Amino acid sequence: MYKELEKFKSSNSFTFTVNDSLEEVCNAPEGSAGIFVVYEIDGDSKELIMVGSTGTVQNDGTLKTKNGGLYDKIVNGHQFAKTGRKYSWPAQMKLENISVLEVVWYETFNADVKAVPTAVEGQVLQNFLDANAKLPRWNVAF
């Protein structure tokens, strides 16, 4: 786990295989804001392959979220194609011969903590870049 994520107490995770329904296994809350990190699980090894976020902090300090929050961003957010992850992740997993993903999500902006989701996402990506000289392979750009 990245140390900058330890302060976020509202967090959970789920695993996803090509045979699962992302809509059914995703346990992220609707209407929430934060980040999610995606790991490829291969036996005992775990590789960070993607970081994403949702939620925008307005200049008055309030949060603007899209209707479905973290849940909707994980399940229906577009990646690899102009289609939701519930379709594109299984296809990409087959292409890369990935059997299991672990998705860990963190609410970064709620009553207890006020961290800008994209700033937290950027910090995790910066730390990954510092350690690996590149972004996680499913992050096209930041």
Side-chain angles (χ1 to χ4, degrees):
M1 181 202 283
Y2 287 86
K3 67 180 183 297
E4 61 272 17
L5 299 176
E6 292 172 1
K7 68 180 173 185
F8 303 114
K9 303 304 179 209
S10 181
S11 172
N12 209 332
S13 66
F14 63 90
T15 56
F16 177 70
T17 70
V18 292
N19 298 317
D20 290 332
S21 162
L22 190 54
E23 293 167 300
E24 290 177 15
V25 299
C26 180
N27 61 5
E30 293 185 26
S32 59
I35 77 160
F36 58 99
V37 291
V38 182
Y39 298 95
E40 175 186 355
I41 305 297
D42 187 11
D44 291 336
S45 70
K46 185 170 163 174
E47 178 190 350
L48 178 67
I49 61 171
M50 191 207 149
V51 181
S53 70
T54 189
T56 306
V57 178
Q58 305 299 296
N59 68 350
D60 65 357
T62 61
L63 181 72
K64 181 180 178 184
T65 58
K66 292 186 177 162
N67 292 342
L70 274 166
Y71 175 88
D72 189 59
K73 182 73 170 198
I74 293 168
V75 173
N76 297 310
H78 290 184
Q79 188 171 5
F80 304 120
K82 298 261 187 239
T83 184
R85 290 186 178 94
K86 63 186 171 188
Y87 305 115
S88 64
W89 275 5
Q92 191 67 24
M93 289 168 72
K94 287 176 186 169
L95 281 175
E96 295 186 30
N97 200 25
I98 297 172
S99 56
V100 181
L101 296 178
E102 179 184 23
V103 180
V104 185
W105 55 264
Y106 302 86
E107 267 192 279
T108 66
F109 198 101
N110 57 30
D112 300 323
V113 64
K114 306 264 187 259
V116 178
T118 50
V120 178
E121 175 189 19
Q123 187 59 60
V124 173
L125 288 171
Q126 183 64 57
N127 290 346
F128 187 93
L129 179 65
D130 291 346
N132 300 283
K134 62 182 180 178
L135 292 177
R137 70 178 189 256
W138 281 13
N139 283 94
V140 175
F142 185 77

